[in-house]
């Protein structure tokens, strides 16, 4: 705590900040003053409201997916990493905060466990937060990494939760067609494979573009590759 406070006093304003998080008490043990510069959130309100205050600021479209990502990371940690190695872990994930009715920011959070409870579950962690002030939707991605023998972080777990955003509003048939489009299949080839007419395929293509807010089918392949969705 003393070292964090000393560091906080000399660091210049920037888009990053640190927090010491206690998930057992749902409180923040330390919040760097830079949080107000980076996010616009009030530091004292964060201290007073704890983790529940931050949860109230997570974008409504991200909150459930983000919580699922955190649960998946913890499950992986508890079932696939030995108790002795859990302090070597680093967890990373992203989400959006609705800091004002008219302002959304993107957060990338890196979390390092510092203390474990009696069953070996991480309960106190040091969080390093980076703010991207564009407010644009980015699929939530979660990583679990561990220091290897070379003192380098090696990825043990990765999941892109953007699939839930991309495919969630599509019917099963539309998802089938989307995957085939991503493989550069023509409407005729897709129709033959799915035993439907190419006219029906074209109708589904138009619906897919509308639902995904993509302007042309040529964008589907690059979008899917970029976000590792298919």
């Amino acid at each position: 705590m003393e070292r964090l406070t000393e560091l906080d006093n000399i660091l210049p304003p920037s888009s990053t900040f640190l927090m010491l998080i206690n998930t057992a008490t749902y409180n923040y043990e330390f919040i760097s003053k830079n949080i107000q510069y980076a996010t616009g959130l009030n530091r004292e309100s964060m201290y007073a409201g704890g983790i529940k205050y931050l949860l109230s600021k997570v974008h409504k479209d991200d909150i459930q997916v983000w919580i699922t990502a955190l649960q998946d990371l913890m499950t992986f940690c508890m079932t696939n990493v030995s108790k002795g190695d859990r302090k070597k872990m680093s967890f990373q994930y992203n989400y959006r905060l609705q800091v004002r009715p008219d302002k959304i920011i993107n957060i990338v959070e890196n979390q390092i466990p510092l203390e474990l409870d009696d069953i070996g579950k991480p309960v106190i962690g040091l969080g390093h937060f980076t703010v991207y002030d564009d407010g644009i939707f980015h699929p939530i991605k979660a990583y679990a990494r561990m220091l290897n023998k070379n003192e380098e972080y090696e990825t043990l777990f990765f999941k892109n939760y953007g699939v839930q955003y991309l495919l969630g509003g599509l019917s099963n048939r539309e998802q089938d067609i989307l995957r085939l489009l991503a493989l550069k299949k023509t409407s005729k080839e897709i129709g033959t494979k799915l035993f439907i007419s190419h006219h029906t395929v074209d109708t589904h293509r138009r619906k897919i573009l509308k639902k995904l807010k993509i302007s042309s089918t040529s964008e589907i392949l690059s979008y899917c590759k970029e976000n590792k969705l298919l």
Side-chain angles (χ1 to χ4, degrees):
M1 290 286 289
E2 291 179 2
R3 292 294 300 274
L4 285 173
T5 301
E6 291 174 3
L7 187 64
D8 196 41
N9 288 331
I10 62 174
L11 288 177
S14 71
S15 60
T16 66
F17 59 93
L18 300 172
M19 294 202 295
L20 196 61
I21 305 165
N22 189 326
T23 57
T25 63
Y26 242 52
N27 291 320
Y28 298 112
E29 311 256 338
F30 172 84
I31 304 173
S32 62
K33 65 180 185 297
N34 214 32
I35 189 171
Q36 293 187 206
Y37 178 87
T39 69
L41 296 176
N42 183 271
R43 188 185 188 192
E44 297 308 315
S45 296
M46 291 287 291
Y47 271 125
I51 294 176
K52 289 182 179 179
Y53 180 81
L54 182 67
L55 288 173
S56 72
K57 298 295 183 180
V58 177
H59 194 282
K60 62 181 179 63
D61 292 337
D62 289 0
I63 183 68
Q64 291 302 324
V65 181
W66 178 56
I67 289 175
T68 297
L70 296 181
Q71 292 172 338
D72 289 348
L73 286 171
M74 186 55 62
T75 298
F76 176 84
C77 179
M78 297 298 290
T79 58
N80 294 274
V81 181
S82 68
K83 185 176 180 180
D85 284 338
R86 287 172 193 163
K87 286 188 178 181
K88 298 179 183 179
M89 298 296 292
S90 172
F91 305 103
Q92 179 183 305
Y93 35 85
N94 62 288
Y95 51 93
R96 290 175 295 171
L97 293 180
Q98 184 88 48
V99 293
R100 296 199 310 265
D102 62 340
K103 187 174 180 62
I104 299 170
I105 60 174
N106 286 290
I107 297 281
V108 175
E109 179 178 346
N110 285 275
Q111 190 70 226
I112 299 174
L114 299 180
E115 290 190 19
L116 311 178
D117 63 13
D118 293 339
I119 64 171
K121 181 179 180 181
V123 290
I124 296 181
L126 178 63
H128 179 270
F129 299 76
T130 302
V131 176
Y132 296 93
D133 195 18
D134 56 13
I136 298 171
F137 165 72
H138 297 283
I140 292 176
K141 300 176 184 179
Y143 301 80
R145 301 183 175 98
M146 187 171 69
L147 281 173
N148 58 28
K149 294 179 180 179
N150 298 321
E151 294 298 306
E152 299 171 338
Y153 277 111
E154 180 181 346
T155 300
L156 303 181
F157 172 92
F158 168 76
K159 186 171 182 180
N160 186 340
Y161 293 84
V163 174
Q164 298 184 31
Y165 286 104
L166 179 61
L167 301 183
L170 302 184
S171 68
N172 291 335
R173 176 61 81 191
E174 289 166 347
Q175 290 183 35
D176 291 338
I177 291 173
L178 175 65
R179 292 187 178 94
L180 292 170
L181 287 171
L183 294 174
K184 299 183 178 181
K185 301 295 184 182
T186 66
S187 291
K188 185 175 181 180
E189 290 171 330
I190 294 172
T192 299
K193 187 173 182 63
L194 299 180
F195 303 102
I196 57 178
S197 73
H198 70 273
H199 297 295
T200 300
V201 174
D202 287 338
T203 298
H204 284 302
R205 288 174 68 154
R206 289 192 292 271
K207 290 181 180 178
I208 291 169
L209 294 179
K210 184 177 180 180
K211 289 181 179 180
L212 300 185
K213 299 179 180 179
I214 295 175
S215 60
S216 67
T217 52
S218 62
E219 295 180 28
I220 290 176
L221 180 60
S222 60
Y223 185 87
C224 290
K225 282 186 174 181
E226 177 184 349
N227 294 288
K228 300 179 181 177
L229 296 174
L230 298 173

